[in-house]
Amino acid sequence: MSKQNKNSPELSLSVQYGVTDARLPRWRLRRWVELAIQAAHQDGQVEFERVQLGLRLVGQAEGREMNAGFRQKDYATNVLTFEYGVDPEGTATGDIVLCLPVLLREAREQGKSMIDHAAHLTVHGTLHALGYDHLKARQAKHMEALETEVLARMKISDPYA
């Protein structure tokens, strides 16, 4: 485990590569997850002491299969998140799946760097795994503000602007 801010929850992160991209090494993905966790912990909306996450990068076929199987949507989406909640010991658990081909296509279409878009989707997925959502306008505003704050710390512009 990497060094954590003493006020930050302990993180156990498993990174799996169904597909690889040299621009997305474990250390970089871990850093983005850590920053999202720190922001969520400071925000205090969800109380947790530890975080246990799985993060998997997948290709088009696996992304489509997972989206169809879990959301009944017959296409690959950029990020899928599975939130399992916080157990009685204070450990928040979840899984995040990033579909690399969709991420790359969206970055191109939106005129963003791949790294900036990957950081945004990783932060977004991490916040979902911690219990944040955007189904209602108020929730969306809060979650987007938190994402924007985390991305600004990485010198990444507001993806919602």
Side-chain angles (χ1 to χ4, degrees):
M1 284 185 209
S2 68
K3 289 185 180 178
Q4 296 263 318
N5 174 319
K6 67 181 176 178
N7 296 324
S8 290
E10 180 184 323
L11 170 62
S12 173
L13 177 66
S14 168
V15 178
Q16 301 173 0
Y17 292 92
V19 296
T20 59
D21 188 302
R23 296 168 289 185
L24 298 175
R26 282 178 169 78
W27 67 264
R28 179 170 282 154
L29 295 165
R30 182 179 185 85
R31 183 66 185 136
W32 295 338
V33 168
E34 287 173 342
L35 289 170
I37 290 169
Q38 288 170 10
H41 195 249
Q42 290 168 358
D43 179 56
Q45 181 174 306
V46 180
E47 292 194 25
F48 55 91
E49 299 302 317
R50 287 167 297 289
V51 179
Q52 187 173 6
L53 295 176
L55 174 61
R56 180 167 174 80
L57 296 176
V58 301
Q60 190 78 25
E62 187 175 353
R64 183 177 185 169
E65 181 180 323
M66 292 186 84
N67 204 28
F70 292 102
R71 295 180 60 230
Q72 291 69 54
K73 310 274 184 181
D74 192 25
Y75 58 88
T77 189
N78 54 13
V79 60
L80 278 172
T81 305
F82 302 92
E83 176 212 356
Y84 308 125
V86 180
D87 69 19
E89 289 79 41
T91 302
T93 57
D95 288 309
I96 303 161
V97 179
L98 293 175
C99 185
L100 191 58
V102 174
L103 184 157
L104 293 168
R105 186 190 76 236
E106 288 178 347
R108 248 187 337 271
E109 290 171 356
Q110 297 170 19
K112 298 176 181 176
S113 80
M114 179 272 206
I115 293 295
D116 288 359
H117 194 46
H120 177 218
L121 293 179
T122 302
V123 168
H124 184 85
T126 301
L127 291 177
H128 271 312
L130 296 174
Y132 288 82
D133 216 330
H134 47 78
L135 296 175
K136 297 178 182 170
R138 186 180 193 140
Q139 292 173 324
K141 186 175 182 179
H142 185 75
M143 185 173 174
E144 290 171 8
L146 207 51
E147 288 174 45
T148 301
E149 172 190 318
V150 172
L151 294 171
R153 290 173 67 192
M154 292 186 264
K155 309 243 185 298
I156 297 173
S157 61
D158 182 349
Y160 300 106

